[in-house]
Amino acid sequence: MPVASMCFDTTGALLATGDSMGNVRVWDAARKYCTHNFHAHRGAVYALGFHPHKSRYQLFSAGQDSRVQVYDLRKKAHVHTFDSHQGAVSSLSFSPCGTFLASGGRDQTVNVWKVSPELGGQVSEILALERIEGVAFVAKPAGGAETKKRKKQGKDQQAAAHLCVVTAGERGVLRSWDAASGKEILTVVGDSDSDNTGVVAAPGEPPAAELIALHSFSQRPGSEDGSTAPGLL
Protein backbone atom coordinates (compact mmCIF):
# COMPACT_ATOMS: atom_id res chain seq x y z
CA MET A 1 0.00 0.00 0.00
CA PRO A 2 1.36 3.45 -0.89
CA VAL A 3 2.77 5.48 1.99
CA ALA A 4 1.08 8.89 2.12
CA SER A 5 2.89 10.47 5.10
CA MET A 6 5.77 9.95 7.49
CA CYS A 7 7.63 11.63 10.37
CA PHE A 8 10.35 10.97 12.93
CA ASP A 9 10.11 11.56 16.66
CA THR A 10 12.38 14.15 18.30
CA THR A 11 15.10 11.56 19.00
CA GLY A 12 15.16 10.09 15.52
CA ALA A 13 14.71 6.61 17.00
CA LEU A 14 11.09 6.12 15.88
CA LEU A 15 9.58 6.59 12.44
CA ALA A 16 5.82 6.79 11.87
CA THR A 17 4.21 6.09 8.49
CA GLY A 18 0.64 6.46 7.27
CA ASP A 19 -0.68 4.77 4.15
CA SER A 20 -3.52 5.22 1.68
CA MET A 21 -5.70 2.62 3.45
CA GLY A 22 -5.74 4.34 6.85
CA ASN A 23 -2.99 2.30 8.52
CA VAL A 24 -0.55 4.00 10.89
CA ARG A 25 2.64 2.16 11.78
CA VAL A 26 5.56 3.02 14.06
CA TRP A 27 9.00 1.65 13.25
CA ASP A 28 12.21 1.22 15.17
CA ALA A 29 14.45 3.16 12.80
CA ALA A 30 17.71 1.50 13.86
CA ARG A 31 16.50 -2.10 14.02
CA LYS A 32 14.09 -1.70 11.08
CA TYR A 33 11.03 -3.45 12.48
CA CYS A 34 7.44 -2.39 13.21
CA THR A 35 6.67 -1.68 16.87
CA HIS A 36 3.04 -0.45 16.59
CA ASN A 37 0.23 -0.94 14.10
CA PHE A 38 -2.99 1.13 14.26
CA HIS A 39 -6.04 1.42 12.03
CA ALA A 40 -8.26 4.32 13.15
CA HIS A 41 -8.78 6.14 9.84
CA ARG A 42 -11.14 5.55 6.95
CA GLY A 43 -9.03 6.62 4.01
CA ALA A 44 -5.53 7.95 3.46
CA VAL A 45 -3.41 9.31 6.31
CA TYR A 46 -2.10 12.74 5.24
CA ALA A 47 -0.30 13.98 8.36
CA LEU A 48 1.55 12.55 11.36
CA GLY A 49 3.25 14.01 14.41
CA PHE A 50 4.85 12.71 17.59
CA HIS A 51 4.19 14.85 20.63
CA PRO A 52 7.35 16.97 21.06
CA HIS A 53 7.66 15.99 24.74
CA LYS A 54 9.19 12.53 24.65
CA SER A 55 7.72 11.66 28.06
CA ARG A 56 4.21 11.88 26.58
CA TYR A 57 4.97 9.03 24.16
CA GLN A 58 1.99 9.94 21.96
CA LEU A 59 1.46 9.93 18.21
CA PHE A 60 -1.11 12.03 16.33
CA SER A 61 -2.46 11.34 12.85
CA ALA A 62 -4.89 13.04 10.47
CA GLY A 63 -6.31 12.23 7.11
CA GLN A 64 -8.97 11.94 4.48
CA ASP A 65 -11.76 11.08 6.93
CA SER A 66 -11.59 14.57 8.59
CA ARG A 67 -10.46 13.23 11.98
CA VAL A 68 -7.36 13.68 14.12
CA GLN A 69 -6.50 10.51 16.02
CA VAL A 70 -4.30 10.12 19.10
CA TYR A 71 -2.37 7.00 20.09
CA ASP A 72 -0.70 6.10 23.38
CA LEU A 73 2.48 4.29 22.38
CA ARG A 74 3.02 2.82 25.85
CA LYS A 75 -0.43 1.22 25.88
CA LYS A 76 -0.25 0.52 22.13
CA ALA A 77 -3.79 1.84 21.88
CA HIS A 78 -5.88 4.50 20.20
CA VAL A 79 -6.98 6.84 23.01
CA HIS A 80 -8.70 9.92 21.56
CA THR A 81 -10.34 11.49 18.50
CA PHE A 82 -10.50 15.20 17.68
CA ASP A 83 -13.51 15.57 15.40
CA SER A 84 -14.41 19.04 14.18
CA HIS A 85 -13.28 19.27 10.56
CA GLN A 86 -15.76 18.73 7.74
CA GLY A 87 -13.18 17.65 5.17
CA ALA A 88 -9.77 16.06 4.82
CA VAL A 89 -7.13 17.16 7.33
CA SER A 90 -3.89 17.81 5.48
CA SER A 91 -1.46 19.05 8.13
CA LEU A 92 -0.59 19.05 11.83
CA SER A 93 1.71 21.25 13.91
CA PHE A 94 2.56 21.43 17.61
CA SER A 95 3.19 24.68 19.44
CA PRO A 96 6.79 25.18 20.64
CA CYS A 97 5.69 24.54 24.25
CA GLY A 98 3.85 21.35 23.26
CA THR A 99 0.58 22.58 24.79
CA PHE A 100 -1.38 23.03 21.57
CA LEU A 101 -1.90 21.24 18.27
CA ALA A 102 -3.06 22.93 15.08
CA SER A 103 -4.84 20.91 12.39
CA GLY A 104 -5.27 22.40 8.93
CA GLY A 105 -7.89 21.07 6.55
CA ARG A 106 -9.17 21.19 3.02
CA ASP A 107 -12.51 22.23 4.53
CA GLN A 108 -10.91 25.71 4.69
CA THR A 109 -10.50 25.73 8.46
CA VAL A 110 -7.76 25.37 11.06
CA ASN A 111 -8.52 24.08 14.55
CA VAL A 112 -6.35 24.66 17.59
CA TRP A 113 -6.55 21.91 20.24
CA LYS A 114 -5.17 21.58 23.74
CA VAL A 115 -3.01 18.45 23.98
CA SER A 116 -0.90 18.99 27.13
CA PRO A 117 -0.67 18.44 30.06
CA GLU A 118 -3.75 16.39 29.16
CA LEU A 119 -5.86 15.98 26.04
CA GLY A 120 -8.46 18.72 26.02
CA GLY A 121 -10.93 20.36 23.70
CA GLN A 122 -10.94 22.92 20.93
CA VAL A 123 -9.32 26.23 21.85
CA SER A 124 -10.16 28.12 18.66
CA GLU A 125 -11.28 27.75 15.06
CA ILE A 126 -9.73 29.71 12.21
CA LEU A 127 -11.91 30.30 9.15
CA ALA A 128 -9.30 30.56 6.42
CA LEU A 129 -11.72 30.36 3.45
CA GLU A 130 -9.15 28.48 1.38
CA ARG A 131 -8.00 24.87 1.30
CA ILE A 132 -5.17 24.56 3.83
CA GLU A 133 -2.16 22.39 2.99
CA GLY A 134 0.30 23.48 5.69
CA VAL A 135 0.24 24.91 9.23
CA ALA A 136 2.94 25.97 11.69
CA PHE A 137 3.02 27.68 15.09
CA VAL A 138 5.24 30.69 15.77
CA ALA A 139 5.56 32.73 18.95
CA LYS A 140 4.62 36.40 19.12
CA PRO A 141 5.51 39.09 21.67
CA ALA A 142 2.61 40.03 23.95
CA GLY A 143 1.08 43.49 23.55
CA GLY A 144 0.16 45.59 26.58
CA ALA A 145 -3.36 46.61 25.58
CA GLU A 146 -4.09 43.20 24.15
CA THR A 147 -2.88 41.48 27.32
CA LYS A 148 -5.51 43.31 29.39
CA LYS A 149 -8.27 42.02 27.13
CA ARG A 150 -6.95 38.45 27.44
CA LYS A 151 -7.44 38.46 31.22
CA LYS A 152 -11.15 37.94 30.66
CA GLN A 153 -10.49 34.74 28.72
CA GLY A 154 -9.86 31.25 30.03
CA LYS A 155 -6.38 29.94 30.80
CA ASP A 156 -6.09 28.05 27.51
CA GLN A 157 -7.01 31.13 25.46
CA GLN A 158 -4.55 33.26 27.45
CA ALA A 159 -1.76 30.79 26.78
CA ALA A 160 -2.65 30.54 23.08
CA ALA A 161 -2.72 34.34 22.82
CA HIS A 162 1.09 34.33 22.78
CA LEU A 163 1.10 32.23 19.60
CA CYS A 164 0.36 32.69 15.93
CA VAL A 165 -0.67 30.01 13.47
CA VAL A 166 0.83 30.41 10.00
CA THR A 167 -1.09 28.79 7.15
CA ALA A 168 -0.30 27.97 3.53
CA GLY A 169 -2.90 26.93 0.99
CA GLU A 170 -4.48 27.27 -2.41
CA ARG A 171 -4.19 31.07 -2.60
CA GLY A 172 -0.41 30.91 -2.78
CA VAL A 173 0.18 33.16 0.24
CA LEU A 174 1.33 32.87 3.84
CA ARG A 175 -1.21 34.05 6.38
CA SER A 176 -0.69 34.57 10.12
CA TRP A 177 -3.53 34.17 12.62
CA ASP A 178 -4.00 34.81 16.33
CA ALA A 179 -4.11 31.29 17.81
CA ALA A 180 -6.58 32.29 20.54
CA SER A 181 -9.08 34.48 18.67
CA GLY A 182 -8.71 33.06 15.15
CA LYS A 183 -8.34 36.58 13.72
CA GLU A 184 -6.03 37.18 10.77
CA ILE A 185 -2.96 39.27 11.61
CA LEU A 186 -0.84 39.33 8.46
CA THR A 187 -0.76 38.14 4.85
CA VAL A 188 2.49 37.64 2.97
CA VAL A 189 1.97 37.50 -0.78
CA GLY A 190 3.86 34.77 -2.59
CA ASP A 191 3.37 33.28 -6.03
CA SER A 192 -0.30 33.64 -6.91
CA ASP A 193 0.02 30.85 -9.50
CA SER A 194 1.20 28.35 -6.88
CA ASP A 195 -0.61 25.95 -4.61
CA ASN A 196 1.28 25.90 -1.31
CA THR A 197 1.80 22.40 -0.02
CA GLY A 198 3.63 22.90 3.25
CA VAL A 199 4.98 25.37 5.76
CA VAL A 200 7.69 24.80 8.38
CA ALA A 201 8.70 27.13 11.22
CA ALA A 202 12.15 27.30 12.77
CA PRO A 203 11.38 28.97 16.14
CA GLY A 204 13.49 31.82 17.46
CA GLU A 205 13.41 33.51 20.83
CA PRO A 206 10.82 36.31 20.97
CA PRO A 207 10.88 39.07 19.96
CA ALA A 208 13.25 37.83 17.28
CA ALA A 209 11.72 36.95 13.96
CA GLU A 210 11.17 33.29 13.20
CA LEU A 211 12.13 31.53 9.99
CA ILE A 212 9.33 30.27 7.79
CA ALA A 213 9.96 27.91 4.89
CA LEU A 214 7.17 27.52 2.37
CA HIS A 215 6.98 24.75 -0.19
CA SER A 216 4.83 25.21 -3.25
CA PHE A 217 4.12 23.78 -6.66
CA SER A 218 4.03 26.17 -9.60
CA GLN A 219 2.93 25.53 -13.13
CA ARG A 220 5.92 25.42 -15.47
CA PRO A 221 6.02 28.33 -17.90
CA GLY A 222 4.68 27.22 -21.24
CA SER A 223 3.44 23.90 -19.91
CA GLU A 224 0.40 22.75 -21.81
CA ASP A 225 -0.39 19.81 -19.57
CA GLY A 226 -0.52 21.85 -16.36
CA SER A 227 2.44 19.99 -14.86
CA THR A 228 4.01 21.44 -11.76
CA ALA A 229 7.47 22.16 -10.46
CA PRO A 230 8.45 22.47 -6.80
CA GLY A 231 9.67 25.76 -5.44
CA LEU A 232 10.26 27.77 -2.28
CA LEU A 233 8.68 31.13 -1.47
Side-chain angles (χ1 to χ4, degrees), residues 99-100 123 140 142 146-163 178-181:
T99 303
F100 303 106
V123 177
K140 67 174 181 180
E146 189 174 284
T147 301
K148 293 180 181 179
K149 295 179 181 179
R150 301 295 188 189
K151 290 181 179 179
K152 296 181 180 180
Q153 297 181 334
K155 291 183 179 180
D156 293 342
Q157 281 74 22
Q158 289 185 35
H162 299 288
L163 298 167
D178 185 298
S181 68

Side-chain angles (χ1 to χ4, degrees), residues 69-91:
Q69 307 289 10
V70 189
Y71 313 94
D72 186 313
L73 299 184
R74 288 192 180 89
K75 298 178 180 179
K76 294 190 174 184
H78 169 262
V79 294
H80 194 75
T81 299
F82 291 115
D83 187 8
S84 183
H85 286 279
Q86 301 300 312
V89 181
S90 58
S91 54

Side-chain angles (χ1 to χ4, degrees), residues 73-221:
L73 299 184
R74 288 192 180 89
K75 298 178 180 179
K76 294 190 174 184
H78 169 262
V79 294
H80 194 75
T81 299
F82 291 115
D83 187 8
S84 183
H85 286 279
Q86 301 300 312
V89 181
S90 58
S91 54
L92 297 173
S93 177
F94 290 95
S95 63
C97 59
T99 303
F100 303 106
L101 173 75
S103 57
R106 293 173 186 163
D107 60 350
Q108 306 186 8
T109 67
V110 176
N111 289 308
V112 177
W113 312 93
K114 183 181 179 182
V115 295
S116 182
E118 66 278 328
L119 296 172
Q122 186 182 47
V123 177
S124 65
E125 181 182 44
I126 296 168
L127 302 178
L129 302 180
E130 66 169 329
R131 293 194 309 271
I132 298 301
E133 298 296 337
V135 294
F137 274 104
V138 293
K140 67 174 181 180
E146 189 174 284
T147 301
K148 293 180 181 179
K149 295 179 181 179
R150 301 295 188 189
K151 290 181 179 179
K152 296 181 180 180
Q153 297 181 334
K155 291 183 179 180
D156 293 342
Q157 281 74 22
Q158 289 185 35
H162 299 288
L163 298 167
C164 294
V165 177
V166 179
T167 61
E170 64 180 320
R171 289 174 51 187
V173 299
L174 280 177
R175 302 167 73 189
S176 179
W177 310 81
D178 185 298
S181 68
K183 294 181 179 179
E184 186 170 4
I185 301 171
L186 178 68
T187 298
V188 179
V189 178
D191 182 356
S192 60
D193 294 326
S194 301
D195 283 338
N196 295 330
T197 59
V199 58
V200 179
E205 292 297 324
E210 306 199 12
L211 176 64
I212 299 291
L214 175 67
H215 187 268
S216 64
F217 281 88
S218 303
Q219 184 170 334
R220 293 189 180 94

